[in-house]
Amino acid sequence: MVDAWNEIADWFAERQRAGSAMHEFARDILFEQLPTELRGLRVLDIGCSQGLLTRAAAERGAKALGIDPAERMIEHALAAEAETPTGAEFAVDDGCALATVGSASKDWVIAGLSLNNVPDLAACLLAVRRVLVPGGGLVAVIPHPCFEAPHASWTGDRDSPRRVVGDYATEGFWRSDNPQGVRRAGNRHRKLSTYVAALIEHGFALEAMTEPAPDEGVVAEQPRRAGLPPFLVLRARPDVNGTAAVAPRA
Ligand SMILES: C[S@@+](CC[C@H](N)C(=O)[O-])C[C@H]1O[C@@H](n2cnc3c(N)ncnc32)[C@H](O)[C@@H]1O
């Protein structure tokens, strides 16, 4: 799957550079869940691609590190940073291990459209717990599991579009057959309850869960999306009063 992300990295970077309302919307609804003032806070961005969120966090004053297992994505992030420095740093790493990130070294972990790409959600949540300081938090935006399930499609006419979802209960890896779609690189579908249950099981307290309506930019780009939230946003913190059902890795 990492190979597939390396393969589409140039296309993906160019798409974001040209301006993608969906990615900008995903960024904005993620930052709504973070403190307005990030100055001095240490932020880790999991699955950073070319660094859209990492660099946005750095611009808000955070000491930001973006990681991604796709080397080509990190090359794009470093190139963007060289062109317009924000202070963001980048490393090749896997969200299921976070081997380059020290324990208890981050105030916030953010994951924009990347938890749906990690093959092992449990390993990723354990790694996130390990790198967060006490009181730190995780904010994740994922394609809405209910409406962006495998091979979801549209029916109805222009004035009354309807989303067709047939494979909600089928969890696992799938690839979009849309040659212009990001998810042609592959994607791991999990039910909404799987995400929430995994957070609870791994000792996180869910603080916020939102399903923001698409903004004007998204609707202008894709009018059919007007009535449905394309993303689910989760904010959670390791529960200081509870213990993880599964012990964090040393
Ligand atoms: C849709 S892109 C993320 C976009 C980016 N966060 C943004 O908001 O612009 C998904 C990213 O997840 C990365 N990814 C795939 N497997 C991963 C893993 N095991 N750990 C962390 N990131 C992974 C891909 O390489 C890709 O860059």
Side-chain angles (χ1 to χ4, degrees), residues 154-175:
W154 295 98
T155 185
D157 57 26
R158 232 177 73 142
D159 298 329
S160 186
R162 294 286 177 263
R163 194 73 165 145
V164 182
V165 176
D167 296 320
Y168 178 70
T170 310
E171 296 194 309
F173 183 79
W174 71 283
R175 222 182 261 284

Side-chain angles (χ1 to χ4, degrees), residues 9-237:
D10 294 357
W11 170 85
F12 186 75
E14 185 47 44
R15 186 181 155 176
Q16 281 201 344
R17 252 194 307 274
S20 158
M22 282 289 259
H23 286 102
E24 286 158 16
F25 177 58
R27 174 199 61 201
D28 294 347
I29 60 178
L30 189 150
F31 275 87
E32 277 171 15
Q33 296 299 327
L34 289 172
T36 322
E37 182 56 64
L38 291 178
R39 200 152 299 281
L41 295 179
R42 295 156 296 176
V43 174
L44 170 68
D45 179 13
I46 291 182
C48 64
S49 294
Q50 65 159 345
L52 182 74
L53 302 181
T54 327
R55 286 160 49 72
E59 278 167 357
R60 288 165 172 75
K63 185 167 170 27
L65 168 68
I67 66 99
D68 200 292
E71 296 87 351
R72 187 68 184 146
M73 290 292 191
I74 294 297
E75 284 170 19
H76 279 290
L78 291 170
E81 188 57 25
E83 201 176 305
T84 330
T86 63
E89 295 180 346
F90 296 95
V92 175
D93 199 352
D94 189 318
C96 298
L98 300 180
T100 63
V101 187
S103 298
S105 66
K106 301 296 170 195
D107 299 291
W108 287 95
V109 173
I110 59 176
L113 309 177
S114 59
L115 288 191
N116 53 301
N117 287 296
V118 298
D120 186 341
L121 183 60
C124 179
L125 291 177
L126 287 171
V128 170
R129 259 183 72 111
R130 178 181 63 76
V131 303
L132 281 173
V133 295
L138 164 70
V139 180
V141 173
I142 51 178
H144 199 300
C146 302
F147 309 120
E148 301 305 317
H151 309 293
S153 59
W154 295 98
T155 185
D157 57 26
R158 232 177 73 142
D159 298 329
S160 186
R162 294 286 177 263
R163 194 73 165 145
V164 182
V165 176
D167 296 320
Y168 178 70
T170 310
E171 296 194 309
F173 183 79
W174 71 283
R175 222 182 261 284
S176 165
D177 49 19
N178 175 0
Q180 294 308 314
V182 174
R183 289 186 294 173
R184 70 182 192 270
N187 184 57
R188 314 245 168 205
H189 172 62
R190 300 180 179 99
K191 294 186 287 184
L192 196 159
S193 57
T194 298
Y195 280 104
V196 175
L199 285 169
I200 294 167
E201 186 186 350
H202 293 91
F204 285 83
L206 185 60
E207 274 190 351
M209 180 164 115
T210 65
E211 302 170 289
D215 67 9
E216 281 177 5
V218 171
V219 176
E221 212 174 72
Q222 300 185 54
R224 292 188 295 196
R225 291 198 171 271
L228 293 173
F231 302 121
L232 177 72
V233 189
L234 301 164
R235 188 180 74 226
R237 291 180 200 262

